[in-house]
């Protein structure tokens, strides 16, 4: 299927466990992003990647690790899950733009709802 | 701190009316502006993008941009109950064009 997929869609885990959320896109978009969305905070950027093997921290990176060995995949790992990481996680992607303008649109996956007990 | 501000609502309009959603942004260098719609429990979906001052129309949706006032709005004509959702405003971070700055969203309820 074309687009962005995320797995799992729902996950319940316990404090201290390692969890990996998967993101896969079929558009060959250069940029990929991980957001978390919480009531009262909106969408907050965790990490982003401009290309394979290039990643950068976003607004709230602590406690998370990313990798991007292939253009189409961008997994997010919670090394030791905490209750404060209970959230809905969205992966997004966008094409490379030559500058400002038409290629800045980001397209979102369906999300992963993570609960840390 | 770069910010995008939206009235959280809820904005309640009757079916068939015009819904007007507003957004102000602080980064004067921003050049790209987006409206996303998010239904409860779903992911954000892009509905409009605008890059130049003035109006841009797409079906029942019109985006309006005024860079001098750092203001962008979304008008929804002939509102339908299916338009009930949260609308997110996003603008590009002029200091890092790879990122968007997001508002918290405005909740819209269209009443039959």
């Amino acid at each position: 299927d074309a687009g962005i997929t995320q797995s799992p869609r729902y996950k319940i885990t316990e404090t201290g466990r390692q969890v990996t959320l998967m993101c896969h896109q079929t558009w060959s978009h250069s940029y990929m992003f991980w957001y978390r969305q919480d009531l009262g905070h909106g969408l907050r950027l965790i990490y982003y990647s401009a290309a394979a093997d290039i990643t950068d921290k976003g607004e709230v990176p602590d406690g998370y690790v990313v990798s991007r060995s292939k253009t189409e995949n961008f997994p997010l790992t919670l090394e030791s899950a905490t209750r404060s990481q209970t959230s809905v996680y969205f992966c997004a992607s966008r094409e490379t733009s030559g500058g400002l303008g038409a290629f800045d649109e980001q397209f979102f996956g369906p999300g992963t709802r993570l609960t840390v007990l | 701190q770069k910010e995008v501000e939206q009235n959280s609502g809820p904005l309640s309009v009757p079916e068939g009316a015009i819904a007007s959603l507003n957004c102000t942004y602080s980064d004067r260098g921003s050049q790209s502006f987006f409206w996303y719609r998010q239904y409860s429990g779903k992911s954000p979906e892009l509905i409009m993008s605008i890059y130049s001052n003035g109006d841009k129309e797409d079906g029942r949706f019109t985006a309006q941009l005024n860079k001098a006032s750092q203001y962008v709005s979304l008008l929804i004509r002939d509102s339908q109950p299916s338009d009930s959702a949260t609308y997110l405003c996003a603008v590009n971070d002029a200091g890092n064009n790879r990122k968007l700055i997001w508002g918290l969203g405005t909740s819209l309820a269209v009443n039959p």
Side-chain angles (χ1 to χ4, degrees):
Chain A
D1 291 336
I4 301 183
T5 56
Q6 293 183 236
S7 62
R9 295 293 313 281
Y10 302 90
K11 177 73 176 179
I12 299 174
T13 191
E14 295 178 340
T15 300
R17 299 226 178 195
Q18 182 178 83
V19 177
T20 296
L21 309 184
M22 303 301 294
C23 178
H24 175 79
Q25 54 106 354
T26 60
W27 291 311
S28 298
H29 282 172
S30 297
Y31 289 96
M32 296 187 75
F33 305 84
W34 274 107
Y35 293 94
R36 59 178 291 174
Q37 187 174 39
D38 306 282
L39 276 174
H41 292 280
L43 283 166
R44 291 184 289 176
L45 183 64
I46 304 171
Y47 270 96
Y48 64 102
S49 169
D53 298 322
I54 300 175
T55 61
D56 277 297
K57 294 179 180 178
E59 189 183 350
V60 289
D62 293 345
Y64 302 95
V65 174
V66 294
S67 62
R68 195 162 175 213
S69 57
K70 293 184 179 180
T71 299
E72 61 266 30
N73 296 324
F74 191 37
L76 175 73
T77 297
L78 289 66
E79 294 188 297
S80 179
T82 65
R83 290 196 182 89
S84 65
Q85 292 177 312
T86 293
S87 186
V88 179
Y89 291 85
F90 290 107
C91 180
S93 73
R94 59 161 266 218
E95 184 51 271
T96 304
S97 65
L100 299 172
F103 297 107
D104 289 338
E105 295 100 329
Q106 292 184 13
F107 299 94
F108 284 78
T112 294
R113 184 172 295 274
L114 176 68
T115 301
V116 183
L117 301 177
Chain B
Q1 179 91 8
K2 297 174 182 177
E3 293 183 329
V4 172
E5 295 191 352
Q6 299 181 252
N7 188 322
S8 62
L11 174 65
S12 182
V13 300
E15 183 175 355
I18 296 175
S20 178
L21 306 165
N22 304 314
C23 171
T24 59
Y25 59 95
S26 64
D27 190 349
R28 188 168 288 279
S30 294
Q31 298 289 331
S32 305
F33 307 87
F34 308 96
W35 283 100
Y36 285 78
R37 177 177 62 200
Q38 186 174 25
Y39 292 116
S40 180
K42 301 295 185 182
S43 59
E45 172 192 13
L46 179 70
I47 54 171
M48 289 288 285
S49 57
I50 187 166
Y51 306 99
S52 303
N53 277 329
D55 295 358
K56 179 182 178 181
E57 187 174 318
D58 184 0
R60 295 186 296 112
F61 299 96
T62 298
Q64 299 174 318
L65 175 62
N66 184 326
K67 290 183 182 179
S69 299
Q70 295 175 239
Y71 177 93
V72 58
S73 65
L74 179 70
L75 300 178
I76 306 175
R77 290 183 300 281
D78 188 23
S79 295
Q80 301 297 309
S82 59
D83 295 325
S84 298
T86 296
Y87 289 80
L88 304 174
C89 176
V91 307
N92 77 292
D93 182 339
N96 182 341
N97 193 41
R98 290 162 288 183
K99 299 194 291 183
L100 293 177
I101 308 167
W102 294 86
L104 295 183
T106 297
S107 175
L108 173 66
V110 181
N111 305 307

